[in-house]
Amino acid sequence: MATDYDAPRKTEEDQSEESIEELKARRHDKNSGKVDEDEAEAAESFELPGADLSHEELAIEVKPKQEDEFTCMSCFLLHHRSQLADAKKMICFDCS
Ligand SMILES: [Zn+2]
């Protein structure tokens, strides 16, 4: 009986390892230019063993910034395009 349990287990471990590598690569992409994802990332790595599903959900919920939004280079907040005061410096009206 014990051997029956052993075989499928190994396969699951292999799969989760693969998806972790994938997620790492994907997360790297999204992190460029974003600061506030560090906390989420720390929480994710804390739950790594066996927490595959919650992992996927998090990856989907963290959206890249929208087309009509920009990150102010001074206050680093996400603003709507209408708040863009200086397109070259990427600074919002509050900081200009
Ligand atoms: Zn600003």
Side-chain angles (χ1 to χ4, degrees):
M1 273 313 211
T3 33
D4 272 337
Y5 278 101
D6 229 34
R9 238 201 209 165
K10 271 184 184 172
T11 326
E12 267 179 48
E13 267 169 17
D14 274 356
Q15 280 172 351
S16 66
E17 255 179 59
E18 266 176 40
S19 60
I20 288 167
E21 285 305 308
E22 269 178 46
L23 283 165
K24 272 187 194 167
R26 265 189 256 157
R27 225 186 282 147
H28 216 71
D29 270 323
K30 283 170 189 157
N31 267 349
S32 55
K34 267 206 154 189
V35 190
D36 56 338
E37 278 177 27
D38 280 343
E39 260 188 71
E41 196 176 335
E44 275 182 62
S45 27
F46 184 72
E47 286 184 62
L48 273 190
D52 254 345
L53 279 177
S54 60
H55 220 67
E56 287 290 340
E57 277 171 36
L58 266 174
I60 293 165
E61 274 175 33
V62 179
K63 288 181 199 161
K65 94 184 153 193
Q66 304 291 306
E67 285 269 329
D68 59 351
E69 288 174 339
F70 74 98
T71 306
C72 171
M73 286 296 130
S74 182
C75 63
F76 296 104
L77 291 174
L78 200 61
H79 295 288
H80 191 262
R81 272 232 163 140
S82 60
Q83 297 295 302
L84 183 62
D86 191 327
K88 275 183 196 165
K89 294 179 187 169
M90 296 299 284
I91 284 174
C92 71
F93 278 113
D94 287 344
C95 298
S96 67

